[in-house]
Amino acid sequence: MSQKTFYRRRALAARLTKLITQEAVGSAVASGVFLTAPRRTGKSTFAREDLRPALEEAGALVLYADLWKDLTKEPGAVIVETVREAIGRDEKLISRLAIAPGLEAVSVGRVNFNVNKIGLGKEIGLTKAFEALSDETKKLIVLIIDETQHAITTDEGVAALFALKAARDELNSSKHYGLRIVCIGSNQSKLATLRNSSDEAFFGASMVQLPMLDKDFIDWYCKGLDLPHDLDPSDVFQLFQESGCRPDLLSAAADDIRFDFTVGPKAIVVRLAELVRAHAEALNANLRTVIHSLTPIQSAVIRVMGSKGEGFAPFESSTMELYAKAIANAGIATSEPKVEEPDVQLALMALQEKKLVWKTSRGVYAIEERLTVDVLRKDGLLDDLV
């Protein structure tokens, strides 16, 4: 695609590059760097088009694993394949690893695993692979993992993260050239599960909230729209903020205008606002359809999850009472019904299948997207559930 297709955030990329690659006393970046921003607000584009080139210009070898690209693939396998591809591009490395000895089973944090099963084959673990890559290239390696939270939904994904921790610790020793792991995600609470406890793979890693696209982006965007009538960037920026700072909503509305030959130049400004709001409402409408199609127990579970937030514990007695209260408040029962644990378990499984709920391999549940909580609250479905 043309360079003009992307809005460049070079200053932000340069600042993050300096922070990621630095070795300042007291810096926690060697433990990992977590970058978070809401979904569909441009964080992946920034990582690919700005951060990766900036890191490469700074002399780093950058590997990029997108766990969102193909959800049918095991997250741990995607990470391993990314390293395998980097190794496969260098014949010297392949020859070198072909004679590498196998590694033993190890214990890191709360997980016991055999690194040979997490690596590039029967006898090559991730640590050995990264060692060879580091020593051959003599460069700092930066592994960017997009939508990292998917890795902790499976046992293999968790094992891969702990294998990465082992590789990170080895490469950041004085023997090699360093390894930085940059984890990107759309949900800060999910990412935090990887760093908030001493028995997690990235305990103590830095958490960074990526700035949202700003007025400069809208100025650039309006100049490149090529519509029959110029738009006032101030008006468009207000609309952009109103719609959650999501560029795809602006683009969808602009395309609707381009292919509507009945819209006159003077009506474009008003029509753009109508279309952006319509597309935003359509997203909410689809979600509302799913929510209002839930069974009573499924509805009760997700409503209680929305009201409890990070404090949600699915099978505590107080939570079980709230499920019953939610069903009664919905007018489905004349009195608070008794809710059993198997009912809740089945409801949680169904909500996972509907992509409303997310679960880690340790059995921690959370609502998949913040938008779901916003819709529940706006529709009054969280009232009286405290």
Side-chain angles (χ1 to χ4, degrees):
M1 298 181 76
S2 167
Q3 293 292 315
K4 295 180 180 179
T5 306
F6 299 104
Y7 172 67
R8 299 297 177 184
R9 306 173 79 183
R10 291 188 175 91
L12 177 59
R15 184 175 180 183
L16 281 171
T17 294
K18 182 178 180 180
L19 292 172
I20 291 167
T21 59
Q22 71 180 355
E23 296 183 6
V25 174
S27 173
V29 296
S31 298
V33 177
F34 286 27
L35 305 178
T36 181
R39 189 166 292 168
R40 294 185 294 270
T41 57
K43 63 184 181 301
S44 294
T45 300
F46 168 74
R48 291 191 306 267
E49 302 299 329
D50 290 311
L51 183 57
R52 181 173 187 168
L55 287 164
E56 290 173 340
E57 288 176 10
L61 173 65
V62 184
L63 312 183
Y64 184 88
D66 186 354
L67 305 190
W68 186 256
K69 185 176 181 180
D70 185 352
L71 294 180
T72 65
K73 285 189 176 182
E74 160 63 44
V78 174
I79 295 171
V80 170
E81 285 174 10
T82 301
V83 181
R84 183 184 292 118
E85 288 174 4
I87 296 290
R89 290 192 288 267
D90 192 315
E91 291 185 5
K92 288 183 180 179
L93 279 175
I94 296 174
S95 299
R96 181 174 174 178
L97 286 168
I99 59 173
L103 302 178
E104 301 297 327
V106 297
S107 176
V108 180
R110 62 181 173 83
V111 174
N112 294 312
F113 61 90
N114 190 312
V115 290
N116 295 331
K117 295 181 181 179
I118 308 300
L120 309 187
K122 184 177 180 181
E123 296 183 346
I124 305 169
L126 267 185
T127 298
K128 187 63 65 176
F130 271 115
E131 284 179 20
L133 194 57
S134 176
D135 296 344
E136 182 67 27
T137 62
K138 295 180 171 56
K139 290 182 176 182
L140 172 71
I141 300 171
V142 180
L143 172 62
I144 300 175
I145 307 175
D146 204 351
E147 297 296 350
T148 312
Q149 68 270 8
H150 289 292
I152 54 176
T153 61
T154 68
D155 290 338
E156 185 175 340
V158 170
L161 292 178
F162 275 93
L164 284 176
K165 178 191 183 301
R168 178 204 68 193
D169 292 345
E170 174 61 29
L171 263 68
N172 287 335
S173 69
S174 59
K175 299 178 183 178
H176 307 286
Y177 294 85
L179 171 63
R180 300 289 186 269
I181 299 172
V182 179
C183 299
I184 301 176
S186 53
N187 189 304
Q188 184 169 330
S189 297
K190 293 176 183 177
L191 282 181
T193 61
L194 287 168
R195 63 180 287 275
N196 286 351
S197 174
S198 59
D199 63 350
E200 294 297 348
F202 297 101
F203 175 62
S206 302
M207 179 75 78
V208 180
Q209 181 74 45
L210 276 176
M212 302 296 277
L213 289 165
D214 56 15
K215 181 68 162 50
D216 289 341
F217 166 73
I218 294 300
D219 291 341
W220 169 88
Y221 188 86
C222 289
K223 288 178 182 177
L225 273 179
D226 193 26
L227 294 177
H229 189 279
D230 290 339
L231 300 174
D232 184 338
S234 297
D235 294 336
V236 177
F237 184 55
Q238 183 177 347
L239 187 63
F240 183 58
Q241 290 182 305
E242 178 187 316
S243 59
C245 298
R246 291 176 287 184
D248 55 343
L249 294 182
L250 287 181
S251 297
D255 271 345
D256 286 345
I257 290 174
R258 289 189 184 100
F259 290 97
D260 187 346
F261 304 112
T262 66
V263 180
K266 294 182 179 180
I268 285 177
V269 176
V270 174
R271 184 59 179 151
L272 181 73
E274 292 174 347
L275 287 168
V276 168
R277 293 178 180 123
H279 282 292
E281 187 55 38
L283 288 176
N284 293 347
N286 291 336
L287 182 56
R288 281 191 173 93
T289 298
V290 175
I291 290 173
H292 289 285
S293 299
L294 298 175
T295 65
I297 183 62
Q298 291 168 10
S299 176
V301 169
I302 198 165
R303 288 163 60 197
V304 171
M305 289 182 74
S307 68
K308 299 283 281 186
E310 294 182 23
F312 176 71
F315 304 111
E316 283 187 352
S317 58
S318 59
T319 308
M320 301 293 286
E321 292 172 1
L322 273 180
Y323 298 143
K325 182 179 179 181
I327 294 174
N329 287 355
I332 298 169
T334 55
S335 60
E336 293 188 4
K338 184 173 178 58
V339 178
E340 304 289 348
E341 286 190 12
D343 301 326
V344 175
Q345 188 65 62
L346 289 173
L348 287 167
M349 291 172 61
L351 292 170
Q352 283 180 260
E353 291 175 1
K354 296 175 187 292
K355 307 299 182 185
L356 293 174
V357 166
W358 172 86
K359 177 192 175 188
T360 72
S361 63
R362 299 181 74 179
V364 177
Y365 292 90
I367 290 181
E368 182 70 44
E369 285 198 66
R370 179 69 196 180
L371 180 62
T372 302
V373 180
D374 293 340
V375 169
L376 289 169
R377 181 172 290 109
K378 187 175 182 180
D379 289 358
L381 296 176
L382 302 185
D383 296 348
D384 302 322
L385 289 178
V386 291

